[in-house]
Amino acid sequence: MDAVSLSTLLVAAAMAGWVDAVVGGGGLLLLPALLVAAPGLPVATALGTNKLAAIFGTTTAAATYARRTKLDWRMVGPAAGLAVLSAGVGAALAGAVPASAYRPVVLVVLVAVAAFVLLRPRLGVVAVPARRTPVRVAVAIGVAGVGIALYDGLIGPGTGTFLVVAFTALIGADFVHGSAMAKVINAGTNLGALVVFGVTGHVWWLLGAGMAVCNVAGAVLGARMALRRGSGFVRVVLLVVVLALVAKLGHDQWVAR
């Protein structure tokens, strides 16, 4: 790999770390960058290398949030444990599902997420503790630890965004606390997927390690900005990332064929 391609990937890793720490969706930047900078790289290897970089960033962001916010470990702990297993299953199946099968579904979900956030301007801006009932908590654990985690192992981009929206919509978390919980779950999904990709030989370890350093730097900056600027800032970034994901998947579905 030449110096220009390597530099591009390192910058993309730092930007992805920032986006992931604030609201998730860093894979939108890093996966395409990997595939462009390393032509012929198998998709599974790109996914595995992305997970190696991302796990350091998400873990760093999770630790930063945990020091500054109060996390409900009775909910986050079980969800993270399930996420490790579910993402591992998703990673094992990653090569068996063609992109054409999931893009339309993900597009519909993303458009629905964007509409949901736009039509409910108070969503996530302030916490709604009354929503945190035992049933809703159980549903949130299942959605985050099984459904979204399985998606992360299979596909990846947008996982953090889905987690943030799930926690704000289901249990009434504000966006900052929703993002904090999402980082813990996302660290679990990255671990589960990375183990499977590593065992099957689909990780470019040296490149991933270099990108991990930059991803951590971006994650620290992103987490600190989200904590300092609050839920309104996270909401804006969330909408930008969701719309960017819609544009990217729409392009892949209809234009890039």
Side-chain angles (χ1 to χ4, degrees), residues 19-37:
V19 172
D20 265 336
V22 176
V23 76
L28 172 70
L29 297 171
L30 198 48
L31 274 175
L34 270 167
L35 294 171
V36 170

Side-chain angles (χ1 to χ4, degrees), residues 31 35 42-48 50-51 83-103 105-106 144-159 162 186 188-194 196-197 202 249:
L31 274 175
L35 294 171
V43 174
T45 303
L47 287 167
N50 173 61
K51 292 303 178 192
V84 174
L85 299 175
S86 299
V89 172
L93 299 173
V97 181
S100 58
Y102 66 75
R103 276 199 206 109
V105 176
V106 177
V146 179
I148 298 176
L150 183 67
Y151 165 84
D152 192 27
L154 268 172
I155 306 163
T159 295
F162 292 142
N186 211 172
T189 64
N190 285 333
L191 175 60
L194 178 60
V196 173
F197 284 128
H202 287 297
L249 288 173

Side-chain angles (χ1 to χ4, degrees), residues 171-186:
I171 61 166
D174 61 69
F175 277 129
V176 170
H177 285 84
S179 191
M181 290 186 285
K183 291 314 109 196
V184 177
I185 310 305
N186 211 172

Side-chain angles (χ1 to χ4, degrees), residues 49-249:
T49 306
N50 173 61
K51 292 303 178 192
L52 176 59
I55 192 172
F56 287 94
T58 51
T59 302
T60 300
T64 302
Y65 278 114
R67 286 195 298 268
R68 302 276 295 276
T69 62
K70 185 177 180 180
L71 295 176
D72 183 355
W73 288 103
R74 291 174 300 177
M75 177 178 64
V76 174
L82 285 170
V84 174
L85 299 175
S86 299
V89 172
L93 299 173
V97 181
S100 58
Y102 66 75
R103 276 199 206 109
V105 176
V106 177
L107 267 170
V108 170
V109 173
L110 283 169
V111 170
V113 166
F116 187 67
V117 175
L118 283 170
L119 294 173
R120 301 188 65 178
R122 300 303 298 169
L123 177 72
V125 176
V126 293
V128 186
R131 287 188 189 168
R132 192 171 291 202
T133 64
V135 172
R136 282 178 172 267
V137 168
V139 171
I141 290 172
V143 169
V146 179
I148 298 176
L150 183 67
Y151 165 84
D152 192 27
L154 268 172
I155 306 163
T159 295
T161 305
F162 292 142
L163 287 168
V164 173
V165 172
F167 286 130
T168 53
L170 289 173
I171 61 166
D174 61 69
F175 277 129
V176 170
H177 285 84
S179 191
M181 290 186 285
K183 291 314 109 196
V184 177
I185 310 305
N186 211 172
T189 64
N190 285 333
L191 175 60
L194 178 60
V195 168
V196 173
F197 284 128
V199 169
T200 54
H202 287 297
V203 179
W204 191 344
W205 294 102
L206 186 60
L207 176 62
M211 292 192 303
V213 175
C214 298
N215 197 263
V216 166
V220 171
L221 179 61
R224 289 178 177 175
M225 286 183 69
L227 287 164
R228 185 170 65 251
R229 298 194 178 188
S231 293
F233 169 72
V234 177
R235 181 177 187 273
V236 171
V237 177
L238 171 68
L239 285 170
V240 171
V241 170
V242 168
L243 293 174
L245 279 165
V246 169
K248 172 66 170 60
L249 288 173

Side-chain angles (χ1 to χ4, degrees), residues 5-32:
S5 296
L6 179 59
S7 299
T8 299
L9 284 176
L10 295 178
V11 171
M15 294 174 63
W18 186 91
V19 172
D20 265 336
V22 176
V23 76
L28 172 70
L29 297 171
L30 198 48
L31 274 175

